[in-house]
Amino acid sequence: MDEKTTQARQDSCLSFITTLFPEETFQFVEQQTYPDAFGHTGTHITFKSALRELKLSFVSQAHSRFERVFLAEKTSASPFFSRMMEATYEDGQLYIHHVLKSD
């Protein structure tokens, strides 16, 4: 993935989580790329605020039309990441499909 595409994905993620948590300020922490068990490339992008850490995990699909995205949250009350929702990433935008955890 080229630098322009990487930056566009990070910007899209930041915009998405800012919409979910408008009262918090998030900072980019890191991006990691890894191969999955099927040889597809996956990416973790992590952002952090004073209250929580969010990890967006991108998983390529065989049809390549979009990527599945899993949003997980870690807070001081819970030291492990727990999934909040599933989404898709297509044409530079994140689209929510399933909310797994709500307040």
Side-chain angles (χ1 to χ4, degrees):
M1 185 178 308
D2 64 25
E3 190 173 323
K4 185 177 178 181
T5 304
T6 299
Q7 188 61 50
R9 183 184 287 192
Q10 288 175 11
D11 292 345
S12 180
C13 291
L14 185 58
S15 175
F16 182 75
I17 62 177
T18 300
T19 302
L20 295 174
F21 303 100
E23 68 285 351
E24 296 179 45
T25 301
F26 285 89
Q27 299 294 322
F28 170 76
V29 176
E30 69 178 337
Q31 177 171 317
Q32 298 176 326
T33 302
Y34 61 93
D36 69 10
F38 303 103
H40 294 7
T41 300
T43 303
H44 290 304
I45 301 176
T46 309
F47 293 88
K48 194 171 190 173
S49 75
L51 300 176
R52 71 191 84 238
E53 187 172 347
L54 298 174
K55 179 171 63 173
L56 293 100
S57 300
F58 290 76
V59 180
S60 298
Q61 301 296 285
H63 51 66
S64 300
R65 289 190 314 266
F66 61 81
E67 293 175 272
R68 285 184 76 189
V69 182
F70 301 95
L71 176 62
E73 171 188 46
K74 180 169 64 169
T75 64
S76 59
S78 175
F80 301 103
F81 281 103
S82 63
R83 284 193 180 167
M84 296 174 61
M85 66 180 64
E86 294 182 22
T88 58
Y89 183 73
E90 186 174 8
D91 299 327
Q93 294 292 317
L94 282 163
Y95 301 98
I96 297 172
H97 276 244
H98 307 294
V99 176
L100 305 171
K101 175 184 172 186
S102 62
D103 289 337

